[in-house]
Amino acid sequence: MIKDLPENIVKDIAIAVALESENVESKVWYVYLINLKNEPIENVLVTSKGYGEKDGELVKTSVLRHSFPAISPQSYKLIEPIDEQTFGLNNEYWLSYYIGRDIFDKKFIFLPESIVDDNFIKLPMINKPGVMIR
């Protein structure tokens, strides 16, 4: 039965962690969903959670859920703010969306310590420095 399901491969969609602002005391970070497609995506659901080991103990964050009716082509949506203290954990974003009647889903995982200056790029459409997974 599973072999009969179509392989709806997620393309031209990205999750990005962007540095919004910084001052001497702190940095402000946000997570975005970027639709690089030339068509809208609809009924978008994103769940986020962090997990891993910190100071020798297993740590899990709360699971957050976000819903968007549609995201226009060549645009982006703010998913959530993210705390710098979670950068030492796996930060997982599970995305599901529809194009027409077809459903697509994919997990995006920012590995521990992957959100660092050495991995920064200029994020498309957002035009801010950050790290992006496609």
Side-chain angles (χ1 to χ4, degrees), residues 58-70:
L58 290 178
V59 177
K60 289 183 183 179
T61 67
S62 300
V63 176
L64 302 176
R65 293 170 181 83
H66 311 276
S67 173
F68 309 102

Side-chain angles (χ1 to χ4, degrees), residues 14 33 45 55 67-69 74 76 80 99 104 106 132 134:
L33 171 61
L45 299 172
D55 300 327
S67 173
F68 309 102
Q74 299 294 317
Y76 61 90
E80 64 187 14
I99 296 178
F104 297 80
K106 182 176 180 177
M132 181 173 82
R134 282 180 86 164

Side-chain angles (χ1 to χ4, degrees), residues 43-119:
N43 298 323
V44 180
L45 299 172
V46 180
T47 62
S48 64
K49 66 180 178 180
Y51 56 90
E53 194 173 307
K54 192 164 188 166
D55 300 327
E57 292 187 33
L58 290 178
V59 177
K60 289 183 183 179
T61 67
S62 300
V63 176
L64 302 176
R65 293 170 181 83
H66 311 276
S67 173
F68 309 102
I71 299 176
S72 302
Q74 299 294 317
S75 69
Y76 61 90
K77 278 282 191 209
L78 172 66
I79 297 174
E80 64 187 14
I82 186 170
D83 191 322
E84 227 174 340
Q85 293 180 0
T86 65
F87 291 175
L89 303 174
N90 294 298
N91 287 285
E92 177 184 296
Y93 295 87
W94 193 336
L95 167 70
S96 295
Y97 63 90
Y98 282 86
I99 296 178
R101 296 189 62 170
D102 296 324
I103 189 168
F104 297 80
D105 74 324
K106 182 176 180 177
K107 270 187 203 177
F108 298 83
I109 300 175
F110 293 91
L111 297 174
E113 308 305 333
S114 63
I115 305 169
V116 294
D117 291 348
D118 290 345
N119 295 335

Side-chain angles (χ1 to χ4, degrees), residues 13-27:
I13 298 287
I15 301 285
V17 176
L19 177 60
E20 288 293 311
S21 64
E22 63 181 313
N23 59 38
V24 176
E25 298 167 5
S26 67
K27 295 181 179 181

